[in-house]
Amino acid sequence: MPLLKLLHFIALIGWCGALLYLPALIAAGGRRSAASSLRQHGELIRTLFNLIATPAAIVAIGSGTVLFLRDDTVGIWLILKLTSVAALVICHGLCGLLILRGERTPRPAMGGACAGLGTLIVGMIAITLWLVLAKPF
């Protein structure tokens, strides 16, 4: 099963990396002026979200589920960790909503929402990492 842990780890790196980068890309899209530049930027954001972040999230959550079922880990630690992962899933969904909002009406005012979401994502990744490192044996 070390390959399953490796798959889980790689998927988490891809998912968390994309989640960290998405708010900055979305905020940068609101500052574009040319229509062709804005369209290309929107395609880049959608590609990152649809082809990297979402599949990585699915693989990370699926492989993580198999790992905790295999190890038969149950307890308050697991509940806290799953809660932090659920918060990351909500952040993922909020990135998707910001992408849709930015495509409909690109505005520089989205910078504040993107900064807030980025801060929340960093916090949730830090909490999740702390919970993983504090795992009882």
Side-chain angles (χ1 to χ4, degrees):
M1 285 293 182
L3 290 178
L4 185 60
K5 281 188 179 184
L6 179 64
L7 175 68
H8 181 64
F9 188 68
I10 290 170
L12 277 173
I13 289 172
W15 183 30
C16 291
L19 280 181
L20 290 171
Y21 194 47
L22 274 167
L25 273 178
I26 295 166
R31 292 184 290 247
R32 303 276 178 176
S33 57
S36 64
S37 174
L38 185 61
R39 189 178 66 247
Q40 289 174 345
H41 188 76
E43 290 172 6
L44 172 68
I45 294 171
R46 275 213 178 240
T47 300
L48 177 64
F49 186 78
N50 291 331
L51 297 181
I52 296 174
T54 301
I58 292 169
V59 170
I61 292 168
S63 60
T65 302
V66 171
L67 283 170
F68 90 76
L69 288 175
R70 180 201 66 174
D71 294 342
D72 198 31
T73 306
V74 180
I76 190 71
W77 171 84
L78 181 65
I79 293 169
L80 292 172
K81 182 173 175 269
L82 291 178
T83 302
S84 69
V85 171
L88 282 173
V89 170
I90 291 169
C91 290
H92 185 96
L94 290 173
C95 282
L97 287 175
L98 282 177
I99 291 169
L100 292 175
R101 186 173 147 195
E103 287 176 350
R104 290 189 184 122
T105 55
R107 298 178 262 179
M110 286 181 50
C114 290
L117 181 58
T119 303
L120 180 63
I121 290 169
V122 168
M124 292 316 304
I125 290 172
I127 289 170
T128 305
L129 182 61
W130 181 80
L131 286 168
V132 167
L133 294 175
K135 177 183 178 183
F137 292 100

